[in-house]
Structure formats: structure tokens, C-alpha cells
């Protein structure tokens, strides 16, 4: 059984999911792969993990860099977990390419190379958007490509982060 909550953000509604203790999902309403990891049995609830997630989102959308992470349970294959682990290290206001993620995982696994397209598929299926910052992954040439929440939203998020990063430097 999983539980659902809802948050209103400046770029649209967000549905959150939990196993009762940890965050298992965070999707923009209507995005591609919306709730695709959600258990068949689920109900609305008001949980402490949701309060912590909403606090994280308030800090984030307020232009700050959250200094905490709600407890997470990422339901994914080993490969997708590896991709999520790399995404979790991308700093606020910065980006990394699909190819750079592929190279890092290949290096860690002792492989000569890895498919950036495979990384793209894993990034697209990230079930905990924003906190696992898939919006910070871009094409090798810096283009904004493939975001399950929509490229316009990805641009808005990155622009907001870059602007707030500049302000924090002064």
C-alpha cells in the first residue's frame, strides 16, 4: 500500500507518493510516466514524510538549496539506481550530460563504454523528480532534451536555479 499527497508549485501540481515512511514518487501532474511506479493499492494520506517533502519543495521553489533530503525509497533496477545516484550529486544550478553519466557509470563498473541512450531512458523514468534532479541532465552540446515533465518546465527550473545560484554568490 502506498499513500499520495499533493503540492502546488509555481510550475504546476505535483503528486507525491510514500510507502508510509519514505518518499517513493514525486511527479508533475500529467507528466510522461506519471505514477508509473505507484502500487495498485494507494490512498490519500497526510504523512510526516510528505510534510518534510513539502518543506523541501518550499525551500527549493523559494530559490534556496535545501540542506536536507526527505527519506527516499527509489524503486528501480540496479542500473537506474546507479543513474539516480549520479543525478543526486549534480549541484544546484549546474548540469551534466547523459554522456557524462554514462562515462561515470562505465568507469565505476570497469567498462570501456556505456550507452548514453540507456542513461536517457533511466533518467526519463526517474520517479522522484526534482529531489533526484533529472532536470539537470542535458545533451552533450548543452541542449535541453527529453524531460518527462516537459522541456518548458525543465528550462524554467534550470533558469530559476541559475538565477538563484548567482544571487547566492553575492
Amino acid at each position: 500500500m502506498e499513500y499520495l499527497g499533493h503540492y502546488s508549485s509555481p510550475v504546476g501540481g505535483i503528486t507525491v507518493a510514500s510507502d508510509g515512511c519514505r518518499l517513493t514518487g514525486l511527479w508533475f501532474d500529467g507528466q510522461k510516466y506519471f505514477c508509473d511506479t505507484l502500487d495498485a493499492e494507494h490512498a490519500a494520506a497526510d504523512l510526516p514524510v510528505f510534510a518534510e517533502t513539502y518543506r523541501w519543495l518550499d525551500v527549493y521553489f523559494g530559490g534556496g538549496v535545501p540542506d536536507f533530503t526527505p527519506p527516499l525509497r527509489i524503486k528501480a533496477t540496479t542500473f537506474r539506481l546507479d543513474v539516480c545516484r549520479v543525478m543526486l550529486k549534480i549541484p544546484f544550478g549546474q548540469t551534466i550530460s547523459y554522456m557524462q553519466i554514462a562515462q561515470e557509470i562505465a568507469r565505476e563498473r570497469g567498462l570501456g563504454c556505456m550507452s548514453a541512450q540507456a542513461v536517457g531512458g533511466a533518467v526519463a523514468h526517474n520517479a522522484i523528480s526534482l529531489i533526484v534532479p533529472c532536470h539537470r541532465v542535458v545533451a552533450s552540446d548543452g541542449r535541453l532534451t527529453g524531460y518527462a515533465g516537459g522541456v518548458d518546465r525543465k528550462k524554467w527550473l534550470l533558469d530559476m536555479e541559475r538565477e538563484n545560484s548567482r544571487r547566492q554568490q553575492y
Side-chain angles (χ1 to χ4, degrees):
M1 172 75 132
E2 280 185 289
Y3 304 93
L4 298 176
H6 199 264
Y7 180 88
S8 294
S9 85
V11 286
I14 293 174
T15 297
V16 293
S18 171
D19 60 8
C21 298
R22 295 164 297 177
L23 190 68
T24 58
L26 191 156
W27 303 273
F28 286 103
D29 293 347
Q31 77 171 52
K32 192 173 184 180
Y33 310 117
F34 179 75
C35 292
D36 70 338
T37 60
L38 188 64
D39 288 349
E41 275 191 62
H42 53 273
D46 191 16
L47 302 171
V49 70
F50 290 159
E52 190 170 359
T53 301
Y54 302 152
R55 189 167 61 91
W56 189 99
L57 291 166
D58 286 344
V59 170
Y60 177 80
F61 284 114
V65 180
D67 62 357
F68 65 96
T69 302
L72 305 177
R73 178 175 157 234
I74 301 171
K75 299 188 293 183
T77 65
T78 301
F79 175 69
R80 287 184 181 174
L81 286 171
D82 286 347
V83 172
C84 286
R85 182 184 40 73
V86 174
M87 287 190 293
L88 282 164
K89 296 188 292 186
I90 308 168
F92 183 91
Q94 296 183 30
T95 59
I96 188 173
S97 73
Y98 298 97
M99 181 58 72
Q100 288 171 300
I101 293 174
Q103 290 168 340
E104 182 170 337
I105 293 172
R107 190 172 39 257
E108 290 171 357
R109 292 183 174 190
L111 302 172
C113 64
M114 177 162 291
S115 167
Q117 286 181 316
V119 168
V123 170
H125 284 88
N126 171 31
I128 305 178
S129 293
L130 297 177
I131 294 174
V132 178
C134 52
H135 63 283
R136 295 180 189 151
V137 183
V138 298
S140 292
D141 63 4
R143 283 181 300 115
L144 304 185
T145 59
Y147 183 58
V151 175
D152 288 344
R153 189 175 280 136
K154 181 174 188 165
K155 181 180 180 339
W156 188 95
L157 295 167
L158 290 172
D159 287 347
M160 181 270 298
E161 288 185 14
R162 288 179 182 133
E163 179 61 31
N164 287 313
S165 290
R166 280 192 286 273
R167 279 193 211 140
Q168 291 168 9
Q169 291 174 354
Y170 298 104

